[in-house]
């Protein structure tokens, strides 16, 4: 059978595509994992010892192709960082935003952060891929998928981070974050945003959550105590950090610095990658980033960006060496210089 690209995917009946595609997305990642019993005896997993839990990144994330319609990559890349943590990325052929998504497993429930840009399940089968990940994890650890509560949250109120949540509205034992500021705070039980820090217990695995406005008002930072990953959403990531509210963003950065001063952090990750390994700013809207920089950032890069930001006195775009700080320049993009744009 010839490799499926997006052109053929869109031309086939839905029933012949969805489930085989979802299974195929996981297969490439399975090769690196040892064979385990399909139905082992359930046991409590220890998420608090020998921290941080080790894991691996792919040598290179799938980062697009010159032709979207002839793209040969799966709609969603799935990478198991370790046994209990999976990161997903949307194929740039389906959205140039190519957001990253997080899947954290605990003994009692699962947290899934960000749901990507596309909504139709017939075009982009996120629900099927996530369910396959959950089924796989449950088979390996003696759980029933229907017994594991799934929490669907997102980093902030921009459509490329919550649009596909519609695919999960009829999923059993699933709670979905609402699409207003008040509903987002209520989902986490916050009463003093953004300073208040709450703890989500997934069943022995804790996620710390607090407000991180600046890119937008309604945004959160997430810290996983198991991997010690700090997820900073769109307010700090490897690319163009569009900052709409500079003072609030500086306050959020100050909270992040205070956090890394008192908590171990292995990696800082955001929602996107928009630059090359040499610091090239990939133009807005491109669907191909051939020499993409690593997704993860260091604590040192966060500290440097904060010190740099404290010297900024006026709107503009500033490169820190790791990220672009776009201070109140959201309307300014590089789309007119897009080398991949059609004539």
């Amino acid at each position: 059978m010839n490799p499926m690209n997006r052109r053929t995917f869109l031309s086939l009946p839905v029933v012949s595509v969805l489930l085989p595609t979802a299974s195929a997305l996981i297969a490439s990642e399975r090769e690196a994992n040892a064979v385990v019993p399909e139905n082992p005896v359930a046991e409590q997993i220890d998420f608090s010892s020998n921290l941080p839990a080790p894991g691996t990144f792919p040598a290179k994330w799938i980062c697009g192709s010159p032709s979207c319609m002839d793209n040969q990559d799966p709609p969603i890349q799935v990478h198991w960082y370790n046994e209990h943590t999976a990161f997903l990325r949307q194929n740039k052929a389906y959205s140039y935003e190519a957001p990253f998504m997080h899947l954290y497993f605990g003994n009692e429930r699962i947290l899934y952060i960000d749901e990507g840009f596309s909504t139709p399940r017939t075009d982009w089968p996120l629900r099927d891929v996530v369910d396959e990940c959950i089924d796989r994890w449950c088979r390996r650890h003696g759980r029933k998928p229907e017994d594991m509560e799934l929490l669907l949250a997102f980093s902030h109120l921009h459509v490329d981070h919550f649009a596909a949540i519609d695919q999960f509205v009829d999923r059993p034992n699933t709670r979905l974050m609402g699409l207003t500021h008040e509903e987002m705070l209520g989902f986490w039980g916050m009463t003093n945003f953004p300073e208040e820090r709450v703890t989500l217990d997934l069943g022995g695995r804790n996620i710390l959550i607090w407000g991180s406005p600046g890119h937008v008002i309604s945004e959160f930072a997430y810290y996983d105590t198991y991997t010690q990953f700090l997820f900073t959403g769109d307010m700090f990531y490897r690319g163009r950090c569009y900052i709409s509210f500079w003072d609030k963003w500086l306050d959020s950065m100050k909270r992040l610095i205070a956090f890394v001063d008192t908590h171990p952090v292995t990696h800082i990750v955001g929602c996107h990658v928009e630059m090359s390994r040499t610091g090239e700013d990939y133009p807005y809207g491109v669907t191909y980033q051939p020499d993409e920089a690593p997704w993860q950032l260091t604590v040192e890069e966060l500290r440097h960006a904060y010190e740099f930001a404290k010297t900024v006195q006026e709107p503009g775009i500033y490169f820190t060496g790791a990220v672009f700080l776009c201070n109140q320049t959201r309307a300014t993009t590089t789309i007119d210089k897009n080398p991949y744009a059609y004539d």
Side-chain angles (χ1 to χ4, degrees):
M1 185 176 184
N2 293 329
M4 182 176 291
N5 56 38
R6 193 178 185 195
R7 193 183 300 279
T8 55
F9 181 89
L10 294 176
S11 68
L12 291 174
V14 171
V15 292
S16 68
V17 174
L18 281 181
L19 295 181
T21 301
S23 298
L25 305 188
I26 312 300
S28 62
E29 299 288 349
R30 284 179 173 164
E31 296 176 358
N33 294 280
V35 176
V36 297
E38 283 292 298
N39 296 292
V41 177
E43 60 180 344
Q44 286 295 106
I45 300 165
D46 182 4
F47 290 105
S48 60
S49 301
N50 302 315
L51 303 180
T56 62
F57 293 102
K60 184 177 182 180
W61 291 96
I62 293 174
C63 52
S65 58
S67 168
C68 287
M69 292 305 291
D70 297 306
N71 183 276
Q72 300 293 318
D73 298 321
I76 302 148
Q77 180 180 3
V78 178
H79 176 75
W80 288 88
Y81 177 78
N82 59 32
E83 182 68 20
H84 310 295
T85 310
F87 296 118
L88 288 67
R89 192 188 193 186
Q90 185 165 8
N91 187 332
K92 288 183 75 70
Y94 292 75
S95 169
Y96 63 83
E97 298 280 7
F100 288 87
M101 298 158 278
H102 304 227
L103 196 54
Y104 298 130
F105 292 85
N107 282 303
E108 299 171 10
R109 55 190 61 88
I110 305 160
L111 174 64
Y112 185 51
I113 308 175
D114 281 1
E115 288 75 47
F117 207 174
S118 301
T119 47
R121 193 172 173 184
T122 52
D123 178 29
W124 191 60
L126 178 65
R127 162 79 177 272
D128 303 275
V129 173
V130 170
D131 281 346
E132 175 64 22
C133 288
I134 294 172
D135 288 345
R136 174 197 171 181
W137 186 87
C138 288
R139 287 196 305 270
R140 295 174 69 100
H141 299 287
R143 266 75 167 178
K144 295 180 180 179
E146 60 270 23
D147 293 338
M148 297 292 295
E149 183 181 34
L150 177 63
L151 306 178
L152 266 71
F154 35 86
S155 54
H156 62 290
L157 281 172
H158 275 160
V159 70
D160 54 317
H161 302 280
F162 67 78
I165 201 170
D166 289 352
Q167 295 187 22
F168 297 84
V169 293
D170 61 346
R171 189 183 187 280
N173 203 14
T174 302
R175 287 200 290 133
L176 283 63
M177 178 179 276
L179 298 180
T180 67
H181 180 73
E182 291 74 19
E183 289 173 313
M184 294 172 77
L185 299 189
F187 193 80
W188 299 129
M190 288 184 179
T191 58
N192 185 27
F193 179 90
E195 290 82 6
E196 181 183 9
R197 185 188 303 157
V198 300
T199 300
L200 169 67
D201 183 5
L202 298 178
R205 181 177 188 172
N206 291 332
I207 310 294
L208 309 184
I209 308 159
W210 64 95
S212 195
H215 172 63
V216 294
I217 293 298
S218 303
E219 185 156 14
F220 301 94
Y222 296 84
Y223 175 76
D224 172 31
T225 57
Y226 180 59
T227 60
Q228 298 179 357
F229 270 51
L230 175 59
F231 175 45
T232 51
D234 266 10
M235 65 84 61
F236 187 77
Y237 69 94
R238 187 82 74 179
R240 295 180 295 274
C241 301
Y242 291 115
I243 304 166
S244 301
F245 308 96
W246 182 257
D247 290 342
K248 293 183 183 298
W249 182 86
L250 273 179
D251 288 341
S252 292
M253 286 290 284
K254 184 177 180 179
R255 280 190 292 275
L256 290 177
I257 295 298
F259 185 85
V260 301
D261 281 344
T262 55
H263 294 76
V265 173
T266 54
H267 302 286
I268 297 170
V269 292
C271 292
H272 311 278
V273 174
E274 295 168 345
M275 56 185 287
S276 74
R277 294 177 182 273
T278 58
E280 174 191 356
D281 176 12
Y282 285 119
Y284 181 84
V286 301
T287 58
Y288 185 36
Q289 298 181 172
D291 187 32
E292 191 176 71
W295 176 41
Q296 64 272 24
L297 291 142
T298 66
V299 170
E300 290 70 25
E301 287 171 321
L302 175 73
R303 293 187 190 280
H304 176 71
Y306 178 57
E307 293 302 320
F308 188 106
K310 288 192 292 185
T311 69
V312 173
Q313 300 296 321
E314 57 185 25
I317 299 175
Y318 304 88
F319 184 47
T320 71
V323 303
F324 292 93
L325 303 181
C326 302
N327 178 14
Q328 303 170 74
T329 62
R330 188 59 193 260
T332 302
T333 68
T334 54
I335 193 67
D336 58 320
K337 299 178 182 178
N338 184 348
Y340 310 110
Y342 293 105
D343 292 333

